[in-house]
Amino acid sequence: MVPQKFHFLLLSLLPIYSLAQSEAELNNKGVALINEENYEAALPYFDELIDQSPDNPLYYANRAVILFNLKHYVKALADYDFLIKALPEESENYFQTGNVYDQMDSL
């Protein structure tokens, strides 16, 4: 027999799962475009995802990568700032912020 808590958890996640499917599809398409280094085409996917889920750090991380590669450094910094506030224990965000500043200094 499955504990009662488990049933409640499954039922409470059903609406989130159905909503997240469209987000997952957008994310997968955007990530595929990033992997193809087609950053211009990938950007609208993550803009849309952030509009839909403005608190999801994954979308900001992907968009920051895109913005960095498009040399939109100020906008990339804004996304990394969000990530540092959302996930202060994640050292990669500090490192990438440094990379952005390094690129800005070389201009």
Side-chain angles (χ1 to χ4, degrees):
M1 176 160 202
V2 178
Q4 186 124 7
K5 282 183 183 176
F6 185 73
H7 285 291
F8 174 73
L9 178 62
L10 281 178
L11 292 175
S12 66
L13 291 177
L14 285 176
I16 295 170
Y17 175 74
S18 63
L19 228 145
Q21 276 191 330
S22 65
E23 286 184 22
E25 290 171 6
L26 287 171
N27 185 62
N28 291 340
K29 289 176 184 176
V31 168
L33 290 166
I34 291 171
N35 290 335
E36 295 171 6
E37 298 182 9
N38 191 348
Y39 303 113
E40 288 283 347
L43 183 58
Y45 285 94
F46 291 100
D47 287 340
E48 174 65 27
L49 286 163
I50 289 169
D51 286 345
Q52 288 183 22
S53 294
D55 296 327
N56 189 325
L58 173 64
Y59 304 149
Y60 285 88
N62 287 330
R63 187 171 72 176
V65 168
I66 293 166
L67 293 168
F68 177 82
N69 283 290
L70 291 174
K71 298 180 174 41
H72 297 234
Y73 298 127
V74 174
K75 290 180 181 181
L77 283 175
D79 282 356
Y80 283 121
D81 183 56
F82 171 88
L83 289 164
I84 287 170
K85 289 175 183 168
L87 304 167
E89 70 286 350
E90 194 64 46
S91 61
E92 180 69 17
N93 298 320
Y94 298 96
F95 178 78
Q96 294 302 335
T97 297
N99 281 340
V100 175
Y101 278 115
D102 186 51
Q103 290 300 310
M104 290 172 75
D105 286 344
S106 69
L107 295 178

